[in-house]
Amino acid sequence: MAFGFIKKIFTFGRNEVEEAPAEGVQQPPAPAAQEIPAAVPAEAPPAPAPEPTVPDLPAEPDIAPPAPVEVPEETPAPERPDVAEPSPPGAPPAAPVAPQAPPVQVSPPPVEPGPEVPAEAAPGPAPETAPAEALPTPVAPSRVTVAKAVETKAQPAAALAPAPRTPWFQRLTQGLSRSSRELKESISGVFTRRKLDEDTLQDLEDVLIRADLGMETAIRVTDALASGRYGKDISDEEVRGVMAAEIEKVLAPVALPLELDLSHKPHVVLVVGVNGTGKTTTIGKLAAKLTAGGLKVTLAAGDTFRAAAIEQLKIWGERTGSEVVASKLGADAASLAFDAYEKARDAGSDVLVIDTAGRLQNKAELMAELEKIVRVLGKHDPDAPHTVLQTVDATTGQNALNQVEIFRNVAGVNGLVMTKLDGTARGGILVAIAAKHKLPVYFIGVGEQVDDLEPFSAGDFAKAIAGVN
């Protein structure tokens, strides 16, 4: 029995030894893990918080494998090194307890970022960006109206200017002040204490012709006055009111917006005119309107006879963000136009605006060079140039009629821009041109600033030149 008792004692101690290693076998890989359960159960009795966190941790990797990858980088990554560091003898007891409490509390936040990440991924920036990018693409319709579509987009930039600047109609009135003042004085002299008879009508007709309104407009005004007012007293205010109405009737058919056919890309705009009529400045102002409307513009410095014109166009290119194609002074303008078309096409420009040297309509050799530019552009596109604008100086007077006729025959002018309507201008010539050639008048300029080029309005022009508010 003594032997059996000793054997039991031996066996009892052996069983305890075997049980100890059995427990050690479960936690040899991470000795710190032994301390973790020891710390967790100590806090576990008061609250079952550790139990829900344990299923949460495995649940996250099971639901979304990418989420746990981001979670260890944000929160557990700094804590796991803390658990790994306790392997040194000094820190094991204190270090695991301090970090272990936060993980139990931090475990809920990882659950929150988990759903946030898929929530952001659900809408996805790509589907929203795609429609945003799809919006500008329809900005290139078959036709673009510069006076409306482009002007509408340019409103944010233009909205800053109107505050300090004079209203457009007032600037137009100031630009036509000379013609308006002369007409007022002349009409007042004709109708002072006189009835409307044949002599009065003849004198009025002479006044209107001297104001460069043209024979056709003068006859329209006198005929309108004679019908219903003949033989009666009439004031000069009534005469100017009738004159404004008749001038508006002449100008209304030609007051059209500039439309660009973007089925031709680039749409070529050739600007011609006599030297000094403001071609380069008009090109810069037009480029500003087009770029403000979201169109990509290329400018070609085709006035190779003047270094100042080339530099001026480069400055406008910098202001408007437009590419400028230029060559050396004296280069062949037709070759430059040919190269500019290729560069504009390769760059994806919507519009190519080509400047030209000032041509005197009575110089056959200079006009022949302009014809060459038109022929060269036709090699790229049979319809090019698609728009030919002629700048007409408001101070030119009757000579502008001949200029329009000759440029129209040589370059195929299909639109006008009236420039330099300042206090010295005799703007009545525009009425005569409209009555004779019936070409669209797209823009009118009253100064050197970018916003001094405005779409032409028949009513505003007629009231300004007649002195009617």
Side-chain angles (χ1 to χ4, degrees), residues 22-398:
E23 295 176 359
V25 171
Q26 294 176 358
Q27 302 174 359
Q34 279 183 332
E35 299 171 0
I36 294 170
V40 173
E43 300 176 359
E51 293 180 0
T53 55
V54 175
D56 291 341
L57 293 174
E60 292 177 1
D62 294 340
I63 294 172
V69 175
E70 298 177 356
V71 171
E73 293 179 358
E74 296 176 357
T75 52
E79 296 170 359
R80 289 182 180 176
D82 296 340
V83 178
E85 289 176 1
S87 57
V97 175
Q100 239 9 49
V104 176
Q105 299 174 355
V106 172
S107 56
V111 177
E112 295 177 359
E116 288 178 359
V117 173
E120 294 176 357
E128 293 180 1
T129 308
E133 294 175 355
L135 294 176
T137 49
V139 170
S142 58
R143 301 188 72 84
V144 171
T145 302
V146 177
K148 294 181 181 179
V150 173
E151 290 291 328
T152 301
K153 297 181 181 179
Q155 280 180 357
L160 302 176
R165 292 187 62 82
T166 306
W168 166 251
F169 181 75
Q170 186 174 345
R171 282 183 283 160
L172 179 62
T173 303
Q174 293 173 354
L176 292 170
S177 59
R178 177 182 176 184
S179 296
S180 176
R181 183 176 59 256
E182 291 179 354
L183 279 171
K184 278 184 179 181
E185 294 174 355
S186 300
I187 293 173
S188 297
V190 170
F191 287 92
T192 299
R193 298 178 181 180
R194 289 180 62 178
K195 293 184 179 182
L196 190 62
D197 53 18
E198 289 295 333
D199 294 337
T200 306
L201 292 174
Q202 184 61 49
D203 292 343
L204 176 61
E205 186 175 301
D206 294 340
V207 168
L208 299 179
I209 292 175
R210 288 198 302 268
D212 292 332
L213 293 174
M215 178 65 72
E216 181 177 343
T217 303
I219 293 175
R220 289 177 63 107
V221 173
T222 54
D223 288 347
L225 286 172
S227 60
R229 296 179 176 85
Y230 192 83
K232 299 179 180 180
D233 293 334
I234 186 172
S235 65
D236 58 336
E237 288 83 1
E238 290 182 81
V239 174
R240 287 188 281 111
V242 172
M243 181 177 65
E246 294 302 320
I247 291 176
E248 184 175 358
K249 291 178 182 179
V250 175
L251 296 177
V254 301
L256 301 175
L258 174 61
E259 293 185 351
L260 304 180
D261 186 1
L262 296 185
S263 61
H264 300 277
K265 195 171 180 177
H267 183 101
V268 181
V269 179
L270 184 66
V271 182
V272 301
V274 175
N275 190 25
T277 55
K279 295 187 302 298
T280 306
T281 303
T282 299
I283 290 173
K285 296 176 183 178
L286 179 59
K289 292 183 178 297
L290 295 175
T291 53
L295 299 180
K296 187 174 183 180
V297 181
T298 298
L299 306 179
D303 188 355
T304 58
F305 294 97
R306 291 193 309 123
I310 299 175
E311 294 302 321
Q312 186 180 5
L313 200 65
K314 288 181 179 179
I315 294 174
W316 277 111
E318 294 176 358
R319 290 178 181 175
T320 60
S322 305
E323 181 182 357
V324 178
V325 180
S327 183
K328 62 181 180 180
L329 188 65
D332 182 48
S335 299
L336 176 66
F338 187 88
D339 296 339
Y341 186 98
E342 290 183 338
K343 292 181 179 179
R345 180 190 57 198
D346 296 341
S349 295
D350 299 300
V351 184
L352 169 63
V353 186
I354 303 176
D355 191 10
T356 60
R359 314 286 177 177
L360 295 177
Q361 71 277 12
N362 57 357
K363 297 293 182 181
E365 65 278 6
L366 295 179
M367 300 303 287
E369 292 182 4
L370 185 59
E371 289 179 337
K372 182 180 178 181
I373 295 176
V374 175
R375 289 197 309 270
V376 165
L377 290 172
K379 295 180 180 180
H380 284 297
D381 184 348
D383 295 329
H386 310 102
T387 301
V388 182
L389 297 179
Q390 179 178 351
T391 55
V392 178
D393 188 345
T395 63
T396 304
Q398 290 295 320

